[in-house]
Structure formats: structure tokens, C-alpha cells
Amino acid sequence: MTLFHLTWKSFLNRKATLLMMLLSISMSVVLLLGVDIIRQQAKEGFSSTVSSTDLIVGARSGQINLLLYSVFHIGNATNNITWKSYENISQDANVKWSIPLSLGDSHRGFRVLGTSSAYFEHYRYGAKQPLAFSQGRGFEGLFDVVIGAEVAKKLGYNLGSPVVIAHGMGSASLMKHDDKPFNVVGILKPTGTPVDNTLIVSLEAIEAIHVDWQSGVQLPGSKVTAEQVLKMKLKPKQITAFMLGLNSRLSTFHLQRKINQYRNEPLMAILPGLALQELWGMFSFVEKTLFAISGLVVVSGVLGLLALLLSSLNERRREMAILRSVGARPIHILTLLILESLLVTLLSVLLGIGVLYLVMLYASPLIQDQFGVRLAVQGLSLWQWQLVGMVVAAGSLAGLVPGYRAYRNSLADGMSIKL
Amino acid sequence: MKKLAVTIDDLLFKWGDGTPCLTIPKFQLYHGEKVFIKGPSGSGKSTLLNILGGVLAPEHGDIKVLGHDYALMKMSQLDKFRADHIGFIFQQFNLLPFLSLLENVCLPCRFSSTRRARAIDEFGSVEQGAEALLKRLGLMDKHLYQQNAAALSVGQQQRVSAARAILGSPEIIIADEPTSALDVDARDQFLALLLSQCELSGSTLIFVSHDSALEHHFSQKLRLTPSSNGGYSL
Ligand SMILES: Nc1ncnc2c1ncn2[C@@H]1O[C@H](COP(=O)(O)OP(=O)(O)O)[C@@H](O)[C@H]1O
Ligand SMILES: [Mg+2]
């Protein structure tokens, strides 16, 4: 029978109170690790909002601005870029594929993206996942529209639902391209990215709904009907931005420089990965706040343990005195209390990790279903193990205080305890 | 020639507040002797036993136990010496309630390798020793041994305490009013068992109590009496 055995038996003897402590600390561990795992995966997810794309090109502005409107469909481009520039650059020998992006119209608060079929072929998100259809197919006809999963869910659209596109943003927009309604031909699977909130049409369609418009207003008296438009040869003159995939990553910086120095108009090329990182960095205070809160929860858990151990010392004076009388030295008493808090925190941490993984296993499919975000159930990272280590260390250190008190008590009490 | 187990010379003990508590001009005890020390409540009996155990240090005076001079020993040496050579029995609530009988009896042998070695020498193993002693002390029911100590009557608990103090044959056994929570029958029975076991293992017994009714069991009797300095003396 070792000191550990003694600790264990004594622990079992007071299991009701210690169990409560165990639960409280394990919940704080769940919170601490849970917040960190969500933070880590949110960051990973965020930084792979768009993947496989080497460069994003738009009118010259800030890199965050370009990223926001081209990938997140937030805000507007300061300027459009000409179709000519797009054709020029996408024919560069280094370019493997290109996706033109034309933004500016909306449908009931959701952005409409004009693009080419290259979008469905080359656009990647997350771990290089391509877009997939839950129903239907990509656009073929001029008035075909593909909608994101969120759009379909929120607006209750199915294949064949009619869609009227409004000019500009804002769901109450008066100016609607209602003379040229679209039909839903495809619904995308959830991606957990801004694609879910987007309606996708062809560039020609964007061109078509604007043929009789100029400077943002419909020209009076020169209405072109949908039938007429179908017969027209439409060629886009302007787009908002485009994405490039390169043959070799090595040429990224070379091409970026070339685009930035493009003569015919002021262009800017950004590396989406870097821009995403910069954007994430702007939210780091959220990360830090969450971490601080979960850290404080752990601290309060450990303080609770400290308080419990200290308050139990008085009732345990007899236990200590008996141990002293059978030959335990003060150092044994100290060890006993530290072992006890170590035991409580270790068990708490194990329980916490167990609960966390149960929750993740259970919640992962639900989250995937609801939000399209994959919550990867994976092992703890080195940093997370370090967090766990810190909790255990803090818990054992908390045992030092009552341990020292018990040590002093047992020196003063000796073996005789007043009844 | 009989060997001295305990000698005390010119001892004065004071508590922190400075009032003298205990004075012992001279005290000697030979190996194998059994002494009854009587004193009223608060006279310093427990204090004396703590001094003999090396847990409390006197203001001045020499204490020699089994040839060891306490004044020359460090705390840790005293701790080890006590664990190896002295068995204790206290008044009540002597046992750890969350350990089984057997585990309680074996405790001293876990902390002292000397006592463990002696128990193994004598009984083959610590557990066998514990069982043998429990039996000799009248706890025949083997089912009890694995039960938690809390389930026992006070009288049974004190027998377990006695077995624990004796296992591993410490030279000295110190008992601090072990019978005060027992009724008269249980008290006499317990005392008889304790004395016979000490006889058997050749241990020196120092037994303190305020209860004169126990005196007749002992040949050697001492008394703590009020002294002129406000404390008690032996
Ligand atoms: N830790 C202590 N600090 C100060 N005085 C104490 C302490 N323990 C006991 N005393 C005092 O010492 C005296 C002797 O106590 P004790 O040895 O317990 O007596 P007994 O065991 O004979 O009843 C009492 O007056 C008691 O109040
Ligand atoms: Mg006493």
C-alpha cells in the first residue's frame, strides 16, 4: 500500500465533494479545449475559404478590400476592369485556368455572381474541394441560375423557381431586372463559405440584363425584351475581378509583379492565402478574448479546488495526526495532498477530454449538415496538450497550499488531536 | 543486567505562551517494563507522550530513548526513529475510517522498513502478522478484516489499534487513554489483552490515563502532580 493507494482511498472516502470538483474542473477543461479547437478549426476553415487559387486580380485598391468583394462578396469594387485586360492576362503562359467574376447585382439580399463555367470546374475551397451540386447542374442557357445552399434554404427555392435579379444590393431595391426572369437549374451543396449565399449566373446573363441599361438606370423607351436578348451576341465588356490558377506556384510572384505593373489599366494581384491571414489577424482580439475567458474558467475551477482542499483540512486533521502516529513524516502529508489535487485534476482532464470528444463526434455531422462546416475530429495539437499540461500543473500547484498548511498543522499537532 | 529504555533528566516543557506545563526531574524506565502514569485531565499526559515520541521538544532537559539522545537528532531522524521504534495507541478515532482493518494494522510497516522486516521475520509477511495479532486480540472473524474500520465498535477499534501498535515489535508502546471510550467490561478485557501482548513481544509500555481504576493492572505507577510553577511535575 503506497501513498498513492492511501490518497485514492481517502479520495473515495470524500467522493461526493471531490466528484463535484472533478465535474467543475472537467467542464472548464471542455470549455478551454473546445474553444481552442473551434478557434483552430475556424482559422483553418477561414484560411481555406478559397483554395488552389494562386492569384486574385482586381482594380487597384487594398488587398483586404479586393479579397472582401471577390471572395466574401462584401462591399464593392472601386472600379471594374476591362474584359480585354482579363483576356490578356489569362492568356499568359503561366496561367493554367482563370475564373472571371462579375459582381454588383443581387437577389433578395443575396449577391449575384456572374462567371463562366470555369467556376464550377476550377473553384476550390477547404481542402481543395470542388463545388458539388445537391440538385441540378451548372448553367447552360442565358437565363439559368445556380444557387448556393443557404440561398435555397432561406428562400425555399427548388429547381425551376423563378428568380428576378435586382440592380445593386439591398432587398428593397426598386430597380429590378424583372423583364428578364431567371430559372433555378442547379443547387450547390453546402460549403461553409460565402458561395452558399451566392446566386451564380453566366457573364452573358449579366450582360443581357444590362443591355438596355446605362450608368445604372434603365434607358427609357429602349427596352430590349428577353426574346430579343436571346438572339443578341453578348460579349462582356467589363468584369469585377478574376481568379487565376497557375501552372507552377513558382511563377506566382513573377506574375503578380507583372500584373501590378500592367500598363493599360491599374490592376492589383493578391495572394489569397496571405490576404486571408491578414484579414483573420484583424479578428485576433476575438480569439484572444475567447481564450482569456476560457482560461479564467479554468482558473476559477482550480481556485475552487484550492478552496475545497483548504476547507477540508480541518476535518482531516485527525487523519493527518493518525498518519503521523503510524510513522508518516510531514513530507508524506505534503505529498498526500499534492497527490490528491493531482489526482483530481488528472481525472478531470481525462473526463473533460472524453466529454469533449463525445460532443465532437456527436455534433460533427450535425454541424456539417447545418452549416456546411466540417468539424474535424482529430487528436489534440501540441499546444492543446500543453494547455492540458498547464491545467494539471496548476491543479497540483493548488495542492501545494493546503499541503503546506497540513504540513505545518501536523508539525504543530503532532499525534494528539483534541476531540 | 536490565537495560534502560527511557531516561529523562531535568526536563522542562513550556507551550508557546511561556507558561510552564511539565517538569520532570528524573524518570527512568527499563526494557520490558510497564508503567501507568496517572494525571487529571489537562495535566500534560498527552504532552509527555508527544515529548517521548520526539514530536514536541522541551525547553531544556535530556531525553534518551533506546540510547538515542533526542537533543542531538534532527527532525527527520526523530521521525524515522519514532516510526521504527514506537507504537502508539490513542483514545478514540485512532483508525483511518476509509481503510480496511488489515490495511490499518499494516500502516506502520508501510512507513517503517525496520518494523516491516521484523513483522516478516516473525510472521512471514506483514499481512499474516496483522491477521495473527488481530486474532490474538480477540478479533476472530476473518470477514471483518477486509471491512472498513468505520464499521467497527469502539472496543473493536481499540483492539485493532493495539494490533497496529504491536505489529513489527516496536521496543516501546505508548498508549494515551485508550480505554476512556470503553465501558468497564470492554476496558478490563482490552487492558488484559494489551498487557499480555506486550509481555509476549517484550515491549516496554507507557500507559497514561486519568482513570485510577486501571492502576491495579500495573506494577509500576507514577502520578502527575501540580507543581509550584503552575504546571505539573512527575
Ligand atoms: N498546542 C497547544 N498549545 C498550547 N497549549 C496546549 C496545547 N496542547 C495542550 N496544551 C495545554 O497543555 C496542557 C496539557 O495538555 P495535555 O497534554 O493535552 O493534557 P492531558 O493529556 O493530560 O489531558 C493543557 O493545559 C492544555 O491546555
Ligand atoms: Mg490527553
Side-chain angles (χ1 to χ4, degrees):
Chain A
M1 194 175 45
T2 54
L3 270 186
F4 181 78
H5 184 83
L6 258 180
T7 310
W8 179 243
K9 288 272 182 126
S10 169
F11 174 90
L12 288 183
N13 190 41
R14 286 167 297 127
K15 56 178 173 292
T17 38
L18 287 176
L19 221 63
M20 287 318 292
M21 209 56 245
L22 207 144
L23 284 182
S24 128
I25 297 180
S26 63
M27 284 309 112
S28 69
V29 169
V30 169
L31 192 71
L32 181 74
L33 289 180
V35 163
D36 197 69
I37 285 173
I38 288 170
R39 184 195 61 80
Q40 177 203 338
Q41 299 208 0
K43 186 177 180 177
E44 276 165 16
F46 183 82
S47 39
S48 54
T49 306
V50 51
S51 58
S52 297
T53 296
D54 295 305
L55 287 172
I56 299 175
V57 184
R60 197 168 291 163
S61 60
Q63 80 162 352
I64 297 291
N65 187 36
L66 175 51
L67 181 79
L68 281 178
Y69 69 72
S70 65
V71 173
F72 291 92
H73 308 159
I74 296 172
N76 287 303
T78 47
N79 267 309
N80 281 342
I81 55 183
T82 62
W83 183 252
K84 191 119 193 63
S85 304
Y86 168 63
E87 281 193 317
N88 267 337
I89 292 167
S90 55
Q91 273 152 25
D92 189 286
N94 290 313
V95 174
K96 190 171 171 192
W97 53 259
S98 64
I99 302 173
L101 305 169
S102 185
L103 294 150
D105 290 323
S106 67
H107 171 73
R108 294 174 69 178
F110 293 100
R111 286 281 179 139
V112 173
L113 166 70
T115 184
S116 69
S117 53
Y119 189 73
F120 300 107
E121 199 180 325
H122 297 298
Y123 189 86
R124 297 284 184 278
Y125 69 96
K128 303 207 157 100
Q129 290 156 270
L131 297 174
F133 287 91
S134 64
Q135 293 177 56
R137 49 166 177 83
F139 46 71
E140 281 163 14
L142 190 57
F143 293 111
D144 286 354
V145 59
V146 171
I147 59 176
E150 237 354 79
V151 179
K153 200 161 108 189
K154 286 254 176 69
L155 301 182
Y157 283 1
N158 294 310
L159 293 183
S161 294
V163 171
V164 170
I165 293 174
H167 193 75
M169 276 307 286
S171 47
S173 171
L174 285 174
M175 293 192 275
K176 292 199 169 121
H177 304 286
D178 49 1
D179 50 340
K180 303 179 182 75
F182 284 71
N183 256 313
V184 175
V185 297
I187 299 172
L188 294 172
K189 282 190 178 159
T191 63
T193 71
V195 174
D196 295 351
N197 292 306
T198 307
L199 294 92
I200 304 154
V201 299
S202 66
L203 281 176
E204 290 74 20
I206 296 280
E207 215 48 44
I209 55 179
H210 291 107
V211 281
D212 46 5
W213 287 54
Q214 217 159 56
S215 326
V217 285
Q218 193 163 22
L219 298 172
S222 66
K223 243 174 129 64
V224 182
T225 63
E227 290 75 40
Q228 288 172 306
V229 125
L230 279 170
K231 296 191 192 90
M232 294 168 78
K233 264 238 172 281
L234 294 164
K235 208 169 174 242
K237 290 181 259 330
Q238 291 189 327
I239 54 172
T240 317
F242 56 92
M243 294 176 165
L244 293 177
L246 306 185
N247 287 317
S248 153
R249 296 208 121 183
L250 296 174
S251 52
T252 309
F253 290 105
H254 173 73
L255 191 62
Q256 185 187 27
R257 203 169 328 115
K258 206 165 143 187
I259 294 170
N260 287 343
Q261 291 164 0
Y262 192 69
R263 268 165 216 256
N264 301 351
E265 66 180 312
L267 294 182
M268 179 174 68
I270 59 166
L271 284 79
L274 284 182
L276 282 165
Q277 256 178 39
E278 190 187 325
L279 187 55
W280 180 263
M282 292 165 80
F283 297 107
S284 63
F285 73 95
V286 179
E287 246 185 287
K288 286 184 185 131
T289 311
L290 274 179
F291 182 72
I293 291 171
S294 52
L296 283 177
V297 172
V298 172
V299 168
S300 81
V302 171
L303 283 180
L305 175 66
L306 180 62
L308 183 79
L309 291 180
L310 276 176
S311 69
S312 70
L313 271 191
N314 240 351
E315 351 161 353
R316 296 181 70 194
R317 267 179 114 124
R318 176 173 309 284
E319 183 183 330
M320 304 303 166
I322 293 171
L323 283 170
R324 286 277 278 154
S325 78
V326 296
R329 312 204 188 140
I331 190 74
H332 290 136
I333 307 283
L334 179 72
T335 314
L336 211 66
L337 273 135
I338 294 176
L339 266 180
E340 180 169 295
S341 57
L342 180 71
L343 187 73
V344 173
T345 37
L346 258 182
L347 287 178
S348 306
V349 160
L350 288 181
L351 181 69
I353 292 176
V355 167
L356 183 69
Y357 273 88
L358 268 182
V359 168
M360 284 205 295
L361 279 175
Y362 180 72
S364 173
L366 289 180
I367 290 174
Q368 169 105 48
D369 223 46
Q370 288 291 310
F371 306 103
V373 185
R374 241 186 88 241
L375 180 70
V377 182
Q378 56 200 22
L380 295 182
S381 67
L382 178 65
W383 162 243
Q384 281 151 4
W385 279 118
Q386 282 169 344
L387 282 179
V388 166
M390 280 187 249
V391 174
V392 175
S396 329
L397 282 183
L400 262 179
V401 181
Y404 182 71
R405 281 278 293 273
Y407 175 92
R408 301 291 315 176
N409 281 350
S410 77
L411 286 181
D413 291 349
M415 298 162 295
S416 53
I417 274 288
K418 303 280 162 322
L419 285 177
Chain B
M1 198 188 100
K2 271 197 182 173
K3 267 169 63 181
L4 278 170
V6 180
T7 56
I8 295 179
D9 275 307
D10 189 25
L11 177 136
L12 173 67
F13 178 84
K14 287 180 183 173
W15 285 108
D17 55 13
T19 52
C21 167
L22 203 57
T23 44
I24 304 175
K26 190 145 192 83
F27 172 76
Q28 286 192 333
L29 197 59
Y30 288 93
H31 266 292
E33 276 188 322
K34 294 166 197 65
V35 63
F36 181 83
I37 299 176
K38 193 190 148 201
S41 185
S43 58
K45 299 184 297 293
S46 298
T47 308
L48 171 61
L49 299 188
N50 272 311
I51 293 170
L52 284 170
V55 177
L56 294 175
E59 191 76 11
H60 63 74
D62 288 335
I63 307 159
K64 271 204 189 112
V65 180
L66 306 173
H68 288 73
D69 189 342
Y70 278 11
L72 304 177
M73 291 163 80
K74 282 188 289 194
M75 263 300 274
S76 58
Q77 290 173 314
L78 281 169
D79 279 332
K80 182 169 167 16
F81 179 80
R82 177 175 57 247
D84 288 344
H85 303 287
I86 306 178
F88 290 90
I89 311 171
F90 294 104
Q91 194 165 359
Q92 222 197 113
F93 310 116
N94 238 319
L95 306 175
L96 291 179
F98 48 83
L99 295 184
S100 73
L101 285 199
L102 224 48
E103 286 169 328
N104 263 293
V105 176
C106 295
L107 267 180
C109 293
R110 305 298 168 196
F111 288 106
S112 159
S113 52
T114 307
R115 284 181 67 173
R116 179 164 55 236
R118 283 191 207 153
I120 293 171
D121 219 35
E122 191 175 351
F123 298 102
S125 81
V126 175
E127 284 73 20
Q128 279 167 17
E131 287 191 18
L133 283 175
L134 283 172
K135 235 178 252 148
R136 282 196 217 159
L137 283 159
L139 288 164
M140 301 297 182
D141 187 359
K142 273 197 137 195
H143 293 300
L144 274 180
Y145 297 176
Q146 301 304 332
Q147 269 177 27
N148 274 11
L152 298 180
S153 74
V154 187
Q156 286 171 316
Q157 286 192 29
Q158 288 306 65
R159 293 183 202 187
V160 177
S161 309
R164 186 182 64 192
I166 292 167
L167 184 62
S169 317
E171 289 85 343
I172 295 167
I173 297 200
I174 289 180
D176 189 357
E177 313 206 44
T179 57
S180 62
L182 306 183
D183 56 47
V184 178
D185 285 346
R187 189 188 69 192
D188 287 330
Q189 203 185 1
F190 172 78
L191 207 53
L193 282 168
L194 178 64
L195 285 167
S196 68
Q197 285 315 307
C198 287
E199 198 68 52
L200 213 70
S201 60
S203 304
T204 308
L205 176 67
I206 304 170
F207 190 108
V208 303
S209 175
H210 65 273
D211 188 356
S212 327
L214 303 171
E215 260 178 317
H216 67 271
H217 291 277
F218 296 84
S219 50
Q220 199 178 347
K221 294 155 222 174
L222 294 170
R223 186 177 288 267
L224 282 165
T225 49
S227 67
S228 51
N229 64 13
Y232 282 80
S233 72
L234 192 64

